[in-house]
């Protein structure tokens, strides 16, 4: 090829690159897009999820291939790795602000949660735009889309396939499920439980979720022999430090020889027996093609939902041999990697072709002439290769030094010289011994001459100016004719050392915070726990004083709860201001000034003159900085933690998620303490142990279904009032109260997606929900309460005419406590907001209950409810 031909090819390549860049820029540049074509791509999981990335690639490529130009806005529901209700509200506000004036033409969703969110909020957030779902596995969601408003790609849950194959290949084996406690990890665990419900012979499940690395390794080693390990989503440890699926799988394989299956597609490449192949790219491409059809003018109701290709398991052949699984045991949909039989069949024609080519080339070589031309080509190739190796040598990220057996330096690359402040003049005719001041570091000249291949180790090497540089050193001999040549690779690890040191400090910081947060669970005394925690916080933050302020009194004034000082002479935060009203006003103005309820730092010296005057008492007591940490529990403000003159390290760390755990623990302890004081004041006869258990069960139950948060407490309060109006004995009244607090505890056994379903339940789902009174009885029966709570909860859905469940009891067969609870439960449910219906007014709810008096509800209790409503003017 001539120089002119090569130049032409280069110009042609540059032209195509520029053309591609302009095409890509035109695709993603909003200004070039049609104003009438806007697409929202709403993901359930974050961009770190492999399936989500592949689905996105498929969707984007379908738009690119179609030639349809559109603005594509990508939103991630758990971009912060949370599924809390507060985050969903923030996402809702964000989307409403973004699309309220210019709604999109179509919304593409991936996963069940994104589809549910879009279905519920499409009218408000997206102007009623049609929805194209991708990867939908909940069939009831697919059936609930209004006609003409939704279509897309659905499939069978991958967990069903995995459980089915494990049951077939490992009959009778237990399943150990490993995941973290992120929303994606908890979702995997929930879907696994849902899949197990559908299995006739349910295997024993060993949950290993949210464990530290050491505890997980110990638990893996203790698993029974007949156990199969399933690895779900795992991206972090409980202390917040990262631990990827690859690292988790490596830890499992180091501690057991049991078969391991993964829900992540990459698990098969890192030592797992098998992994689920989710076909994310194919599903995404089909969903994108459907969206393109809608944008091209096709009506949604003319495009029926399509069931995507079924997921399959990919097996690793060497691991199949380890676990004695033959090929014929696998299902037809399974795929085998690294199978020597497949390799032999696949590459035999190629090998045969290569052999023919070799014979042909050998025959041609025999007749070839022009040995001189061949020699020139060889010399040219050698020159080019030498230039290539020279570039590789100089551009290596590691420092390289080459020297002979006498220690004379033959060659160094640019990285080596720049790392140790050397010039080319310093290297010329230099020897190893005099090159650097080795006596100041840990590496000696003799370490450069190993007998065989040397070992890589960490050392400290001084540069030309004597400054120590942490590095790794690997020496080894080279073969160069009869002369013995050596080479050393040196890599500067200063930056890595700094990061390791920062991580170590941060880990220690988080460890102490975890100890503080766990103290309220382990300590029986609130005062002792609070005092010890403040002392630990003082030591950790290096503050002068730490104080807890609590929201107290009917007027909601902030008052000092407790205080600790690092030394007696340090200033107190008590009595800073002339009145409690002024103190309350100033603290609240600092806490809520930007509406974020996040940690805040006050430095009076940086304030304006007017503001500085308000905080003058701080300066007078020698306090230069105050750091405040608001304490919230379920969006309820409890108080705040104030620190006088904390360290800058504490202030910088206070925005990290681990501080949310500290805040929640302090707030929960304060709320629990107030609840305990209230119970002690009004019910001295109640055993504290039962009270704590009931309150804990109530909180656990309500955390299961955030849409009904507060419902059990409301029902408890109303039922207690009705019981008192009926003149029942005090012990019976208390039984009604505590039964109300845990009457829905049985819903812990119901899958979360059924509890939060925004539409009518199917008969099978409703039948499962109707089991929750029996589940509640099973949970409470082993606990020896002084009241018949288990029986009350079992009967609270029975009806006077015998149409209730689960026993179909009538009239006096139903305990009076359960009859009261059924009326209070129905009334509070009607006046509360639910995902599947709007709330009713108290008058409407009372009218409906009155219409069912004598049939579903006890007439006497209904009459008492009417009086209660009138007296309290609900």
């Amino acid at each position: 090829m001539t120089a002119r031909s090569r130049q032409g090819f280069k110009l042609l390549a540059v032209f195509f690159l520029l053309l591609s860049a302009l095409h890509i820029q035109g695709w993603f540049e909003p200004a070039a897009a049609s104003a009438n074509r806007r697409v929202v791509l709403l993901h359930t999981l974050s961009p770190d999820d492999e399936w989500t990335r592949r689905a996105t690639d498929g969707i984007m490529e379908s738009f690119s291939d179609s030639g349809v130009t559109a603005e594509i806005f990508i939103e991630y529901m758990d971009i912060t790795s949370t599924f809390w209700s507060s985050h969903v509200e923030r996402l809702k506000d964000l989307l409403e602000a973004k699309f309220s004036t210019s709604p999109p033409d179509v919304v593409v969703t991936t996963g069940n949660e994104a589809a549910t969110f879009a279905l519920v909020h499409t009218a408000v957030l997206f102007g009623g735009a049609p929805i194209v779902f991708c990867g939908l596995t909940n069939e009831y969601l697919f059936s609930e889309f209004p006609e003409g408003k939704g279509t897309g790609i659905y499939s069978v849950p991958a967990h069903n396939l995995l459980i089915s194959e494990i049951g077939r290949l490992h009959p009778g084996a237990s399943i150990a499920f490993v995941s973290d406690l992120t929303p994606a990890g908890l979702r995997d665990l929930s879907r696994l439980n849902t899949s197990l419900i559908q299995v006739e012979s349910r295997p024993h499940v060993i949950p290993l979720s949210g464990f530290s690395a050491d505890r997980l390794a110990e638990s893996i080693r203790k698993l029974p022999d007949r156990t199969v390990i399933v690895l779900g989503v795992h991206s972090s440890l409980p202390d917040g430090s990262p631990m990827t699926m690859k690292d988790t799988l490596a830890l499992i394989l180091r501690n057991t020889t049991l078969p391991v299956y993964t829900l992540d597609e990459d698990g098969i490449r890192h030592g797992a027996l098998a992994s689920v192949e989710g076909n994310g790219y194919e599903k995404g491409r089909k969903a994108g093609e459907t969206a393109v059809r809608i944008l091209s003018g096709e009506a949604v109701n003319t495009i029926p939902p399509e069931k995507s290709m079924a997921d399959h398991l990919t097996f690793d052949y060497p691991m199949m041999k380890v676990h004695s699984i033959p090929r014929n045991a696998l299902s037809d949909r399974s795929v085998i990697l690294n199978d020597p039989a497949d390799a032999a069949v696949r590459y035999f024609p190629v090998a045969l072709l290569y052999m023919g080519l070799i014979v042909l080339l050998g025959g041609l070589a025999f007749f070839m002439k022009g040995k001189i031309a061949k020699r020139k080509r060889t010399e040219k190739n050698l020159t080019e290769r030498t230039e290539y190796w020279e570039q590789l040598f100089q551009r290596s990220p590691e420092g390289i030094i080459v020297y002979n057996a006498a220690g004379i330096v033959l060659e160094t690359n640019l990285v080596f010289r720049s790392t140790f402040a050397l010039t080319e003049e310093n290297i010329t005719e230099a020897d190893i011994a005099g090159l650097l001041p080795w006596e100041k570091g840990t590496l000696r000249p003799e370490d450069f001459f190993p007998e065989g291949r040397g070992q890589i180790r960490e050392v400290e090497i001084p540069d030309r100016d004597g400054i120590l540089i942490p590095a790794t050193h690997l020496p080894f001999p080279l073969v160069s004719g009869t002369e013995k040549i050596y080479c050393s690779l040196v890599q500067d690890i200063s930056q890595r050392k700094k990061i390791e040191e920062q991580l170590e400090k941060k880990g220690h910081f988080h460890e102490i915070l975890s100890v503080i947060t766990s103290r309220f669970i382990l300590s029986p005394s609130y005062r002792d726990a609070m005092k010890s925690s403040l002392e630990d916080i003082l030591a950790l933050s290096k503050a002068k004083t730490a104080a807890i302020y609590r929201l107290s009194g009917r007027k909601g004034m902030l008052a000092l709860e407790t205080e600790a000082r690092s030394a007696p002479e340090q200033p107190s935060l008590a009595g800073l201001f002339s009145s409690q009203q002024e103190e309350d006003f100033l603290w609240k103005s600092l806490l809520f000034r930007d509406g974020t309820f996040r940690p805040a730092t006050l430095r009076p010296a940086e304030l304006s003159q007017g503001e500085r005057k308000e905080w003058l008492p701080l300066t007078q007591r020698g306090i230069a900085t105050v750091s405040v940490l608001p304490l919230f529990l379920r969006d309820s403000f409890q108080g705040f933690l104030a620190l006088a003159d904390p360290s800058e390290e504490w202030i910088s760390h206070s925005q990290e998620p681990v501080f949310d755990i500290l805040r929640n623990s302090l707030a929960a302890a304060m709320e629990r303490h107030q609840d305990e004081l209230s119970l002690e004041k009004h019910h001295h006869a109640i055993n504290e142990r039962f009270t704590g258990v009931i309150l804990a069960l109530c909180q656990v139950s309500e955390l299961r279904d955030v849409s009904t948060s507060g419902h059990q407490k409301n029902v408890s309060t109303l039922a207690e009032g009705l019981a008192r109006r009926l003149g029942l004995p005090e012990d019976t009244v208390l039984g009604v109260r505590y039964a109300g607090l845990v009457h829905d505890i049985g819903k812990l056994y119901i899958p979360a997606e059924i509890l939060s379903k925004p539409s009518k339940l199917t008969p099978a789902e409703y039948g499962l929900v109707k089991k929750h009174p029996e589940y509640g009885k099973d949970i409470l029966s082993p606990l020896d309460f002084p009241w018949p709570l288990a029986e009350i909860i079992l009967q609270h859905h029975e009806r006077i005419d015998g149409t209730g469940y689960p026993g179909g009891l009538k009239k006096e067969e139903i305990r009076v406590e359960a009859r009261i609870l059924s009326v209070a439960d129905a009334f509070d449910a009607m006046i509360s907001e639910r995902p599947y219906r709007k709330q009713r007014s108290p008058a409407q709810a009372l009218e409906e209950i009155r219409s069912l008096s004598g049939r579903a509800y006890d007439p006497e209790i209904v009459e008492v409810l009417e009086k209660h409503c009138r007296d309290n003017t609900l």
Side-chain angles (χ1 to χ4, degrees):
M1 182 182 295
T2 65
R4 180 172 298 176
S5 298
R6 288 197 298 272
Q7 184 69 19
F9 276 115
K10 289 181 180 178
L11 292 174
L12 186 61
V14 171
F15 171 77
F16 279 114
L17 286 174
L18 290 174
L19 186 61
S20 300
L22 291 174
H23 175 72
I24 294 173
Q25 182 179 1
W27 170 253
F28 288 103
E29 181 63 61
S34 172
N36 295 325
R37 294 184 178 180
R38 296 162 60 87
V39 179
V40 172
L41 178 52
L42 185 60
H43 289 301
T44 292
L45 296 178
S46 72
D48 295 331
D49 178 66
E50 180 67 22
W51 187 90
T52 299
R53 287 200 299 271
R54 295 187 182 183
T56 303
D57 292 342
I59 293 169
M60 299 301 289
E61 188 165 323
S62 65
F63 274 93
S64 177
D65 293 346
S66 69
V68 173
T69 303
E71 290 184 272
I72 300 179
F73 301 88
I74 302 179
E75 304 290 350
Y76 298 93
M77 286 188 65
D78 73 337
I79 196 67
T80 58
S81 299
T82 62
F83 275 119
W84 301 109
S85 58
S86 60
H87 170 64
V88 174
E89 287 302 319
R90 289 196 296 271
L91 177 60
K92 178 180 174 183
D93 294 341
L94 173 65
L95 296 181
E96 187 172 2
K98 184 179 287 187
F99 304 116
S100 59
T101 57
S102 301
D105 296 284
V106 66
V107 178
V108 182
T109 68
T110 63
N112 297 332
E113 290 77 4
T116 302
F117 181 86
L119 176 62
V120 173
H121 302 293
T122 180
V124 176
L125 301 184
F126 308 120
I131 299 171
V132 177
F133 47 80
C134 174
L136 191 64
T137 59
N138 280 351
E139 294 187 4
Y140 67 82
L141 283 179
F142 148 73
S143 64
E144 289 300 325
F145 274 87
E147 184 176 359
K149 288 296 182 181
T151 186
I153 311 301
Y154 67 96
S155 61
V156 177
H159 299 72
N160 293 4
L161 170 66
L162 185 60
I163 294 301
S164 173
E165 287 298 285
I166 290 176
R168 195 170 60 80
L169 296 176
H170 309 277
S174 300
I175 296 178
F177 185 76
V178 180
S179 72
D180 59 17
L181 292 180
T182 61
L186 294 175
R187 183 192 63 174
D188 271 350
L189 180 58
S190 175
R191 289 184 177 176
L192 180 72
N193 288 330
T194 301
S195 299
L196 290 172
I197 291 175
Q198 304 172 10
V199 178
E200 291 185 10
S201 179
R202 175 171 177 158
H204 174 62
V205 177
I206 306 170
L208 302 177
S209 299
F211 285 12
S212 65
D214 293 339
R215 184 181 175 193
L216 178 61
E218 182 180 358
S219 301
I220 291 294
R221 289 192 294 269
K222 293 181 179 180
L223 290 175
D225 291 340
R226 290 184 57 77
T227 302
V228 174
I229 301 174
V230 176
L231 176 57
V233 172
H234 202 292
S235 61
S236 64
L237 295 173
D239 61 1
S241 59
M243 186 171 184
T244 63
M245 179 279 298
K246 179 180 177 181
D247 297 333
T248 308
L249 181 59
L251 183 145
I252 293 172
L253 296 175
R254 285 197 304 269
N255 289 277
T256 185
T257 58
L258 297 173
V260 181
Y261 292 77
T262 69
L263 291 167
D264 191 297
E265 299 176 1
D266 288 338
I268 189 70
R269 297 171 180 84
H270 302 298
L273 169 60
S275 297
V276 176
E277 179 67 40
N279 302 314
Y281 174 82
E282 293 79 4
K283 295 175 183 177
R285 185 171 180 85
K286 287 188 176 182
E289 291 170 353
T290 302
V292 168
R293 291 172 63 185
I294 294 174
L295 292 176
S296 300
E298 292 191 40
V300 178
N301 55 7
T302 64
I303 306 175
E306 181 179 350
K307 188 172 184 180
S308 68
M309 65 169 60
D311 298 340
H312 63 269
L313 286 180
T314 302
F315 286 82
D316 180 59
Y317 182 78
M319 295 304 295
M320 289 174 57
K321 297 289 288 183
V322 171
H323 297 291
S324 303
I325 299 177
R327 292 189 186 88
N328 57 13
L330 304 183
S331 64
D332 295 338
R333 291 185 299 170
S334 298
V335 176
I336 303 177
L337 294 183
N338 305 319
D339 189 347
D342 289 345
V345 172
R346 185 184 308 167
Y347 295 115
F348 179 75
V350 177
L352 193 61
L353 177 61
Y354 281 169
M355 290 180 64
L357 289 174
I358 291 173
V359 172
L360 178 61
L361 290 174
L364 292 174
F366 183 77
F367 298 99
M368 285 183 63
K369 296 181 180 180
K371 293 184 179 180
I372 297 176
K374 181 178 179 181
R375 181 181 301 169
K376 289 183 178 180
R377 288 195 299 271
T378 302
E379 291 175 352
K380 180 181 178 181
N381 289 337
L382 182 60
T383 301
E384 291 177 350
R385 186 171 299 180
T386 301
E387 293 176 354
Y388 166 78
W389 284 111
E390 176 64 22
Q391 292 180 10
L392 182 63
F393 177 80
Q394 292 297 338
R395 297 178 183 179
S396 170
E398 295 180 307
I400 305 176
I401 179 171
V402 181
Y403 45 94
N404 60 20
I408 303 300
V409 177
L410 304 177
E411 186 67 79
T412 61
N413 67 351
L414 179 61
V415 174
F416 184 88
R417 295 193 297 272
S418 61
T419 300
F420 299 104
L422 296 170
T423 64
E424 292 188 3
E425 289 75 14
N426 299 139
I427 300 298
T428 304
E429 297 183 358
D431 62 3
I432 292 293
L435 186 62
L436 295 171
W438 304 108
E439 67 278 1
K440 296 182 179 181
T442 60
L443 189 66
R444 297 290 176 263
E446 55 267 22
D447 296 332
F448 283 78
F449 305 94
E451 291 296 330
R453 182 174 180 84
Q455 298 293 325
I456 186 170
R457 66 189 185 98
E458 293 187 4
V459 294
E460 288 186 335
I461 304 175
D463 66 5
R464 191 73 176 174
D465 300 322
I467 300 174
L468 289 178
I469 299 174
T472 59
H473 176 238
L474 174 62
F476 53 90
L478 297 174
V479 177
S480 179
T482 58
E483 185 180 9
K484 197 167 187 179
I485 303 297
Y486 292 89
C487 178
S488 285
L489 303 180
V490 181
Q491 185 174 17
D492 184 353
I493 58 173
S494 303
Q495 191 64 29
R496 192 188 80 187
K497 286 293 185 180
K498 290 180 181 178
I499 295 175
E500 289 176 354
E501 183 179 354
Q502 292 174 357
L503 288 176
E504 184 177 357
K505 289 182 179 179
K506 195 171 184 180
H508 178 66
F509 195 83
H510 289 181
E511 181 180 352
I512 295 177
L513 281 181
S514 298
V515 171
I516 294 173
T517 57
S518 64
R519 180 175 287 110
F520 292 103
I521 300 174
L522 303 176
S523 176
S525 170
Y526 168 79
R527 293 294 179 188
D528 293 345
M530 186 64 75
K531 179 181 178 182
S532 299
S533 295
L534 287 183
E535 291 173 352
D536 287 343
I537 291 173
L538 281 175
L540 185 61
S541 66
K542 298 180 176 59
K544 296 177 180 177
T545 308
I548 293 287
Y549 283 81
R550 175 176 55 84
L551 200 66
S552 63
R554 295 182 179 178
K555 296 182 180 180
M557 302 285 287
L558 286 168
L560 183 65
E561 171 86 353
T562 185
E563 182 182 64
R565 288 180 282 179
S566 58
E569 65 273 10
Q570 296 298 348
S572 172
L573 292 174
L576 275 173
F577 304 97
S578 58
S579 66
Q580 186 179 4
Q581 288 77 10
E582 181 184 4
E583 181 178 48
D584 178 77
F585 172 77
L586 288 175
W587 283 126
K588 286 181 178 177
S589 66
L590 174 61
L591 289 165
F592 308 133
R593 59 183 174 183
D594 57 1
T596 60
F597 310 130
R598 299 299 300 169
T601 301
L602 174 71
R603 293 182 174 90
E606 299 175 0
L607 300 177
S608 63
Q609 186 175 359
E611 292 177 317
R612 194 183 311 151
K613 185 177 180 181
E614 294 176 342
W615 294 98
L616 184 60
L618 288 176
T619 307
Q620 292 174 341
R621 295 194 181 184
I623 299 174
T625 304
V626 172
S627 174
V628 293
L629 191 69
L631 304 179
F632 281 85
L633 187 65
R634 299 186 300 276
D635 296 329
S636 175
F637 179 63
Q638 301 293 320
F640 68 93
L641 167 67
L643 296 175
D645 292 332
S647 65
E648 288 299 322
E649 184 180 16
W650 171 276
I651 295 174
S652 63
H653 284 316
S654 63
Q655 300 291 338
E656 296 183 4
V658 71
F659 274 78
D660 290 338
I661 302 175
L662 175 63
R663 295 168 59 187
N664 293 338
S665 298
L666 292 173
M670 293 171 67
E671 185 189 60
R672 186 180 68 181
H673 180 58
Q674 292 305 310
D675 289 340
E676 290 173 353
L677 291 179
S678 178
L679 288 173
E680 289 174 4
K681 179 178 178 181
H682 296 94
H683 304 287
H684 293 289
I686 298 176
N687 188 293
E688 183 181 355
R689 178 171 58 88
F690 295 126
T691 303
V693 170
I694 291 171
L695 288 175
L697 290 174
C698 176
Q699 291 180 357
V700 169
S701 176
E702 291 191 349
L703 286 175
R704 176 66 168 171
D705 186 7
V706 296
S707 65
T708 61
S709 178
H711 169 67
Q712 294 187 117
K713 290 185 178 179
N714 295 340
V715 171
S716 173
T717 302
L718 178 57
E720 181 183 8
L722 297 179
R724 293 191 185 280
R725 286 177 177 270
L726 287 169
L728 297 178
E730 183 65 21
D731 192 57
T732 304
V733 173
L734 292 177
V736 170
R737 178 182 185 183
Y738 290 114
L741 283 173
V742 292
H743 73 276
D744 279 340
I745 189 69
K747 288 185 179 180
L748 288 173
Y749 284 82
I750 310 301
E753 56 265 29
I754 294 179
L755 294 177
S756 59
K757 183 177 179 181
S759 57
K760 185 178 180 181
L761 299 178
T762 65
E765 292 169 341
Y766 183 58
L768 184 59
V769 171
K770 287 170 65 176
K771 288 283 188 180
H772 82 270
E774 299 175 66
Y775 295 151
K777 180 186 177 184
D778 293 339
I779 293 172
L780 296 179
S781 291
L783 304 176
D784 187 18
F785 290 108
W787 312 279
L789 300 186
E791 287 299 320
I792 298 172
I793 289 172
L794 179 65
Q795 298 178 10
H796 81 279
H797 276 288
E798 300 288 356
R799 297 294 180 254
I800 297 298
D801 59 0
T803 60
Y805 60 86
L809 303 180
K810 295 181 179 180
K811 297 182 178 180
E812 301 301 325
E813 295 175 344
I814 308 171
R815 299 185 66 95
V816 66
E817 299 98 320
R819 280 180 272 154
I820 295 172
L821 201 59
S822 68
V823 172
D825 186 22
F827 182 78
D828 186 73
M830 292 178 191
I831 66 174
S832 301
E833 186 78 16
R834 290 292 185 267
Y836 48 84
R837 61 156 176 79
K838 295 185 177 297
Q839 69 183 99
R840 304 177 189 176
S841 68
Q844 291 172 332
L846 187 60
E847 181 61 31
E848 181 170 341
I849 289 178
R850 188 186 294 115
S851 68
L852 296 174
S853 177
R855 288 184 294 157
Y857 308 117
D858 189 323
E860 183 181 3
I861 299 174
V862 173
E863 183 179 350
V864 170
L865 176 64
E866 294 181 31
K867 294 179 181 179
H868 181 85
C869 292
R870 285 197 300 269
D871 294 345
N872 289 276
T873 62
L874 292 176

